[in-house]
Amino acid sequence: MAEDTGTIVVGFDTEFTHQPGLGGVPGVQSRQIDSYQFTVVHPADPSKIRLVSILPVLDRPDVALPGMRISLERALEIVIEVAGLHEHPLAPAEWSEKGVSRSLAGKPSDFFRSSKKEGVVSKALPITLLAHYEQADLTTFADRRLLAESQGQRVGDRPGYKGRRAAWLDGRTPDILRAVISASGGLATPQPVRMILNGASRRFCRPIELSIRDGLAHAPAGKGKLADLGQAVGYPKLEVPDGWISRMSEYRQLHREDFLEYGANDAVIVLEYASTLYGDHQALPLTLSSAAARSIREAIKRDEGLPSTGAFNLVVGGLTRATATNENVVGIEEQQDYYRKRDLLPVDGAAATWQHACANAFRGGYNACNEIGFFGCQTHDYDLISCYPTAESVFYDVDFTHADGVITETINNVELTLNELPSPLMPFVGFVRFSFPEAVAFPTIPVPLDGSMVFPLSSGAGRGVWASGPEVWLALTLGAEVFVQIGHFGRVRFDEDGNPSRMLRGANRLLIQERGKAKKQFGKKSLEQEVLKNLANGGYGKLSQGVMGQRGWDAWAQAREAVGGSAITSPYHGMMTTGVVRAVLLATLNQLAALGYSTPSNTTDGFITDAPFDVLDSLDLYGLGDLWREARESLTDSREMWERKHHQGDLLNVSTRANFSREADGVLAHGGYKLPPHIVEDSPEDRDHMWPFAVECGGVVSQGARALV
């Protein structure tokens, strides 16, 4: 999962005390920074860690900010010098304890590797600053402009280079917070930021390429606390005595040794966690899901014998590198952000048309609350086992490299039948109108509406909707009439043995098997298995990243910008993954309804029903069951398809993700409600709190709802 490049990972943490804001403004608080602490693997002895703690002078009334904050640049200078990073194996040969001689470069950019000049070797030290929740820690540094102005100096406002990679070069200072983006709840720099720091004298300087990463973005959901990470790497998080956590300045003064020990501990945890996950001195992906994308890409390159990332982009996504000669020739009129942001283009018109249609047909997970109320019978909460990795292993790949293009046939204004679309695995995407028989309990073709989806019996008087092959096939199987205004059939790709290609199957097999081992060794709710669960499921999110035009905040531009695609974005694979899952779930719901069973709620990869397990497990799902089980067998050597997570005899179903039971093994989904801080989630106290709260909706619901219970 780790990146190809090496870096010196520096664990980072701060301690601070909240104080009343400057000027005595009521309700406004500022932070007095009590310490900055940094950790790094010893440059010459990997069995040791070097710790660097910087203690600012406290309570200086003669400066504008409370306490003496230091700049990021000055902090890095101290860490490089005190930790002896010039001795690190990744340090360029020109580095000494003083830095590198300024005479080695005619201008600042000469210190860095240049893509325009062959043979130019970077003289910069690669550093990754890693904290846990950078929003708190990265914002503790002083702005060099304010410091300079307070001393009567003037610092240039313009950065040394254009764009996000601008850096403090030749006396000019950027704001590091404008170089980061939000990533999975943390902050990170998409590209290293170039800086030239002061050396030991005027004749020397310290050029660095700085990356910002956030430990929070590399922790699994629900296990993101430092205490969880520390437990996993054998370095428990320390605690301070009661009451001191809000008075850290005083704690520092009265208990200096304990203060230093506590402060360094968090920085050590995040460093050890990153080293355990990716290896010492390895560049970190932006997020855990980015690591999953890289893992999948590298596995496919290895399995398929693809020599480069460029070859991967061509085979998997039908994309090629944009150049001055093809960027105005190849592609469609409006370039799609998911590949444009990566400087890629469709390899030909067929690839552009196919992927554009698949992007239009991409939809998210199927979530619905079908029945609201109290169910006094035995109900069960079932999930598809390893839903998304299995779905990614069901369908066939398409062939973007064929001389005749990826599209084998385009149809216009025809009524589609199962003769033309005999299998859910046949690559197809089309703009369709449809009408289901009244007897169909759960229609299968989604219609986007206000950012969500509805599943009507008919497209009505509307012109139609884009839809994927699996859901159109299931609609035809259920007796629907489907009229195709325009539709494309894709060319199936075959492997070297002449079998239909499923590249994602091999990429997912290792992650699924490793997660199974982690469950047995560490437990179902362990951080170790949650990391592997996130990696296995994270591939789906990366397959569809940018397909729907997602936008995120760009701190450099101070505006919301298109996110763009990931390393493995493919509208076809994203469309088919969710299309297969929705088809399997809707086939299940329809067959259960035909047998007289109820399904009050369903959420993406599972549902609640009163059907016993043997009934559910016996369903053929109109043929989809065998396809799913075959994929499961290829991943795990088991054909098991469903797992029962909960069962209860007192289900209260309030909404799609708000389901409650008083029984210990029953479902307890809070529907977004945040528990009071003194109640532990999934505890008996949680159930005792949520049941009356849900019944009475916080005491404001009508007597009619109480009567329902």
Side-chain angles (χ1 to χ4, degrees), residues 156-167:
D157 292 328
R158 297 178 61 191
Y161 291 106
K162 297 179 180 180
R164 189 185 302 281
R165 296 187 67 178

Side-chain angles (χ1 to χ4, degrees), residues 407-538:
I407 297 175
T408 60
E409 181 184 5
T410 295
I411 57 176
N412 297 92
N413 299 320
V414 298
E415 184 171 337
L416 195 66
T417 70
L418 288 172
N419 290 329
E420 292 81 33
L421 190 65
S423 167
L425 301 186
M426 180 176 288
F428 173 80
V429 58
F431 191 84
V432 304
R433 297 198 304 269
F434 59 89
S435 178
F436 286 87
E438 291 284 342
V440 173
F442 296 94
T444 69
I445 298 181
V447 176
L449 179 67
D450 295 334
S452 185
M453 295 182 292
V454 295
F455 287 77
L457 282 170
S458 171
S459 54
R463 298 178 61 187
V465 64
W466 285 99
S468 67
E471 53 205 359
V472 172
W473 171 87
L474 183 56
L476 294 171
T477 301
L478 293 172
E481 296 179 355
V482 178
F483 183 84
V484 181
Q485 185 185 77
I486 185 169
H488 308 292
F489 290 91
R491 189 182 307 278
V492 175
R493 180 178 184 270
F494 293 91
D495 61 25
E496 57 184 12
D497 297 323
N499 300 314
S501 168
R502 291 181 171 102
M503 288 181 283
L504 290 172
R505 179 174 288 192
N508 279 310
R509 185 180 295 114
L510 178 62
L511 289 174
I512 296 294
Q513 292 175 347
E514 289 298 300
R515 184 188 172 194
K517 294 177 184 177
K519 275 187 177 181
K520 292 180 180 179
Q521 184 173 349
F522 299 104
K524 284 187 175 182
K525 294 187 177 181
S526 65
L527 180 140
E528 289 82 358
Q529 85 84 26
E530 287 293 332
V531 166
L532 286 158
K533 176 182 177 181
N534 276 242
L535 290 170
N537 292 333

Side-chain angles (χ1 to χ4, degrees), residues 652-670:
L652 178 60
N653 193 54
V654 177
S655 68
T656 304
R657 296 183 183 273
N659 335 103
F660 309 99
S661 169
R662 287 170 292 191
E663 298 178 2
D665 293 328
V667 66
L668 184 57
H670 298 79

Side-chain angles (χ1 to χ4, degrees), residues 319 335-342 354-364 539-551 562-566 568-576 578:
L319 300 172
Q335 300 298 329
Q336 303 299 297
D337 287 333
Y338 83 86
Y339 58 75
R340 179 180 59 82
K341 296 281 286 187
R342 296 162 59 207
W354 176 258
Q355 293 287 43
H356 186 50
C358 292
N360 286 332
F362 172 77
R363 305 283 182 264
Y540 152 68
K542 289 300 180 179
L543 285 170
S544 56
Q545 179 179 307
V547 169
M548 298 184 72
Q550 294 99 323
R551 303 178 75 82
V563 171
S566 76
I568 59 172
T569 292
S570 167
Y572 168 70
H573 290 89
M575 175 196 75
M576 288 295 288
T578 56

Side-chain angles (χ1 to χ4, degrees), residues 10-31:
V10 178
F12 167 50
D13 186 48
T14 58
E15 300 302 328
F16 47 79
T17 302
H18 288 286
Q19 294 185 335
L22 294 175
V25 179
V28 176
Q29 288 189 329
S30 62
R31 291 182 296 173

Side-chain angles (χ1 to χ4, degrees), residues 222-223 225 228 525 661 664 668-670 673-691:
K223 294 284 185 179
K225 296 181 179 179
D228 297 321
K525 294 187 177 181
S661 169
L668 184 57
H670 298 79
Y673 172 75
K674 187 175 181 179
L675 287 168
H678 66 279
I679 297 179
V680 178
E681 189 170 340
D682 293 333
S683 67
E685 292 77 17
D686 186 356
R687 295 183 186 276
D688 291 342
H689 173 80
M690 288 306 303
W691 182 266

Side-chain angles (χ1 to χ4, degrees), residues 603-642:
T603 53
T604 305
D605 61 348
F607 54 89
I608 299 175
T609 180
D610 56 354
F613 185 84
D614 58 340
V615 171
L616 173 65
D617 206 42
S618 67
L619 301 178
D620 67 357
L621 310 182
Y622 312 103
L624 284 169
D626 283 342
L627 296 176
W628 190 275
R629 292 179 189 278
E630 189 274 331
R632 287 283 305 147
E633 188 174 22
S634 73
L635 295 174
T636 65
D637 298 326
S638 169
R639 292 180 65 85
E640 292 183 2
M641 180 174 181
W642 303 100

